[in-house]
Amino acid sequence: MVYSENSTLESKRKAANRLAAWKFNTAIPHALEITLSLLTVILEDEEIAANSDPSSSSSSKTTFTAFGSRSSLALRQAYALAIVRLVNSLVDPLQQGVFARPIAAIAAQIGLPAWFVELRHQATHEDLPSLLVLQEAARE
């Protein structure tokens, strides 16, 4: 299982490579495209964490600045985009009629946690959520 706590970096990489190869050859369902987006950013995040581990023998350490790692903003943006697309892909097909319904109402109808909708709203209209919050959402 790619999203289980016991999954390895290698199993996630293998799954991402398989999805990417499939996407290269043909159009894939939107749900799989979003899974690939989430998996790709999780992989990047875990690889950065592994490379910044002091006990790691890797020579490609992450560079830190006064604002955190040089990749922190890029990771936050990638996580946020994947989560926004996830929520939109679940809610948009149910957005029917002349007037738009509130996203929160549709999300409640399909059982999507309200905090995902709030996270989507924050990422879209306010400051990007923290990396820790985005990481938690991606693993949910």
Side-chain angles (χ1 to χ4, degrees):
M1 296 266 287
V2 175
Y3 281 103
S4 77
E5 290 184 19
N6 298 331
S7 67
T8 64
L9 197 59
E10 187 55 36
S11 67
K12 290 175 187 172
R13 194 176 295 120
K14 188 175 181 179
N17 287 341
R18 182 169 294 188
L19 285 171
W22 190 12
K23 183 179 176 182
F24 180 77
N25 288 323
T26 188
I28 62 174
H30 197 65
L32 290 179
E33 189 172 334
I34 291 170
T35 300
L36 176 59
S37 296
L38 284 168
L39 192 53
T40 300
V41 72
I42 289 169
L43 269 170
E44 181 181 345
D45 192 2
E46 289 181 2
E47 288 171 350
I48 288 170
N51 288 336
S52 62
D53 181 1
S55 64
S56 171
S57 61
S58 174
S59 61
S60 62
K61 302 289 186 195
T62 303
T63 304
F64 287 88
T65 68
F67 302 105
S69 75
R70 71 177 168 187
S71 309
S72 180
L73 179 59
L75 275 175
R76 287 172 60 208
Q77 290 170 330
Y79 272 120
L81 178 61
I83 292 164
V84 166
R85 293 189 70 217
L86 169 69
V87 172
N88 287 349
S89 72
L90 294 171
V91 172
D92 282 351
L94 301 173
Q95 195 64 271
Q96 301 168 348
V98 178
F99 299 103
R101 292 173 44 205
I103 291 175
I106 298 172
Q109 176 186 340
I110 62 173
L112 186 65
W115 74 279
F116 269 72
V117 176
E118 180 56 36
L119 196 59
R120 176 217 169 268
H121 180 85
Q122 189 178 7
T124 305
H125 302 291
E126 300 170 8
D127 291 337
L128 280 177
S130 73
L131 184 56
L132 290 175
V133 170
L134 291 163
Q135 289 167 328
E136 177 65 27
R139 286 171 174 80
E140 185 71 20

